[in-house]
Amino acid sequence: MTEQQPPVDNRRFAFLGELLVEQGVIEQEQLDVAIQEQKRRREVLGKILIDSGFCTENDIASTLAGQLSLEFVSIDEQDVDRICGKTLGDEFLRQHLVLPLKSKSDLVRLAVVDPFDVETSTVVETRLGRPVEVLVATQSDILNGIDSILDDTSHVDEMLKGIDGSQGRTDNILDKVSAEELVEKIAREAGRKGATDIHLEPETHVMRVRYRLDGVLIDGPMINLELAPAVIARIKVMSNLNLSEHRLPQDGRARIHLDGSPMDWRVSVLPTVLGENVVIRVLDGKTVMMDPRELGLAEQNHTWLMELSQRPHGILLVTGPTGSGKSTTLYSLLRTIDGLRKKIITVEDPVEYRIPLVRQVQTHSEIGLTFATALRSILRQDPDVVLIGEIRDRETAEIAVRAALTGHLVFSTLHTNSALGAIPRLIDMGIDPFLLKSSLIGVLAQRLIRRVCKHCHTEYTATTDELAQLSENVVPNDLILKRALGCSKCRGTGYSGRSGIHELLVVDDRLKACSFGGDAPEALAKAAALGGFRTLRDDGLDRAILGETTLEEITRVTGSR
């Protein structure tokens, strides 16, 4: 897994920063900071701007495309011209970061990262014997497309077939494939699929690999148990874990490089009776760069959330179960705050993503550095914005309230099933209702729903029972809904990708008129509804009406009512 040097020539992008400033993508101060960092790191300016959180790959690619009057494209696997891709070869595609796309004409639609590299386009024309139309795409999209072309012919895939435990192989295979190659294969497949987690699970005769995709585990390869210790040892070495410890759980972090792009892992090793079980959380740095508009918020909720996140003080909470995207939402909100003019400090367990211009604190409970102890010191650091990874106990909650009352904007998460449930939860922790009313400004509850597959779904007219479920929405009697079917593109699930559904509770004057400590939940819900509050299920049903998902998926996530 050697890191490939960025192939894009800095000189070709000498005007990139000025162009981004001119288009309003970044500010001049941000460009100045990036240029100073570029002198220190000696890397491409575009990469510095992305790593610093000032813009995204999409921002740079679309700006370049617009300036040169070229088309900017987002690449789906089905768009890739596999025949032309295999003709050009894996090494050529990766070296020049280009990818041929399907075309209805004789033209070769060539997606590129560097639209100024005319020489490469000329080589492609010569090799394929067809004229080339240049399009602009992001490096991530192009690399994912290259992986999809060559995944079925990868030499590592052939090795996996030879060591697949389901085929009953029992001969010595350690001399046929290295653990490093296997780990690379597993990582590449996770990246190509967009998996959030990788599970390596020992069984009696094999080690099973599974990927979590769209919240559901799907099968990967099964590896002969003879190779399992070497694979786990390789992951331990990458994660700086104790190789000789097999009896106690261990946690670590790792970073690998595939085609020059980093992939961060959070690794958990758990001893079981059949051997060590490994679960790897794939940390997608793009979530740090996500714009709040990409979270799937309804227009009114987005407007309210942006207003709350720009207030000078108060507590803004995000609630939901594990894996519902709470951290992604908080990081996207931090991105809207000017880190050059405001001091932002976070305390997290663990720190999963490094955020430029943000001071991040990792808790270490074994030495006494808890959320509460860290927060006491953080408030002496003159912060404007404080992010608390999670409010878990009374002490942390009390410090958060105190911080909000003394002029700080506090972001945090809380484990409750609904936005309204955050109020009694904090009171149960021991927070005085009057102080809570004075400090809490909003609560966002969220879940992740699967989007219906665009390749295989079918449409139908809603039944009488389904119309009854939508009785609170204004819909026609001949409403058209979508039903999930299943195809090779979505691995037979009928769904592909996920989006958020939300309910946003704004603590306005109507809600403050209620007694947080005494009024029944029904009174709080009624006051919230008068202010425009809509539940998770309401938001989910809107998505089904729009055709983004199915009624079955909304019921699975939110319940029947």
Side-chain angles (χ1 to χ4, degrees), residues 240-259:
N240 295 315
L241 299 179
N242 186 348
L243 272 176
S244 62
E245 180 56 73
H246 304 285
R247 300 168 301 170
L248 295 173
Q250 297 189 71
D251 296 301
R253 295 177 65 96
R255 166 170 284 195
I256 65 174
H257 293 271
L258 298 173
D259 307 310

Side-chain angles (χ1 to χ4, degrees), residues 83-189:
I83 296 176
C84 288
K86 291 178 180 179
T87 300
L88 294 171
D90 177 56
E91 183 177 353
F92 178 86
L93 297 177
R94 294 184 191 278
Q95 179 183 353
H96 298 284
L97 287 176
V98 298
L99 183 67
L101 306 179
K102 292 178 182 177
S103 173
K104 295 181 180 179
S105 67
D106 190 48
L107 286 173
V108 176
R109 301 176 72 238
L110 189 68
V112 306
V113 170
D114 180 2
F116 298 99
D117 187 2
V118 180
E119 183 179 346
T120 296
S121 302
T122 303
V123 172
V124 171
E125 284 187 343
T126 302
R127 288 194 181 184
L128 298 180
R130 294 160 56 187
V132 165
E133 176 190 6
V134 174
L135 315 170
V136 182
T138 65
Q139 178 172 320
S140 297
D141 273 2
I142 287 178
L143 289 175
N144 287 337
I146 295 171
D147 285 342
S148 73
I149 291 176
L150 301 173
D151 185 66
D152 57 340
T153 57
S154 167
H155 73 286
V156 183
D157 271 341
E158 295 302 314
M159 295 175 181
L160 279 172
K161 290 177 184 177
I163 62 173
D164 189 331
S166 64
Q167 299 179 21
R169 291 292 297 269
T170 58
D171 54 326
N172 190 329
I173 45 138
L174 290 175
D175 59 346
K176 294 184 177 70
V177 59
S178 71
E180 183 175 356
E181 286 178 303
L182 271 179
V183 173
E184 179 178 350
K185 159 62 187 173
I186 291 168
R188 190 179 295 280
E189 184 70 4

Side-chain angles (χ1 to χ4, degrees), residues 436-447:
L436 181 60
K437 189 183 299 186
S438 302
S439 58
L440 186 66
I441 59 175
V443 185
L444 178 73
Q446 63 183 57
R447 300 289 188 277

Side-chain angles (χ1 to χ4, degrees), residues 463-472 561:
T463 65
T464 302
D465 288 342
E466 288 171 333
L467 288 172
Q469 292 185 51
L470 304 170
S471 58
E472 295 184 9
R561 287 293 175 189

Side-chain angles (χ1 to χ4, degrees), residues 452-453 456-458 460 482-486 493-495 550 552:
V452 69
C453 177
C456 66
H457 70 265
T458 184
Y460 69 99
K482 290 184 178 179
R483 179 178 288 121
L485 293 180
T493 65
Y495 299 92
T550 64
E552 291 79 9

Side-chain angles (χ1 to χ4, degrees), residues 62 259 282 393 398 425:
S62 59
D259 307 310
V282 180
D393 51 47
E398 287 178 341
R425 175 79 178 101

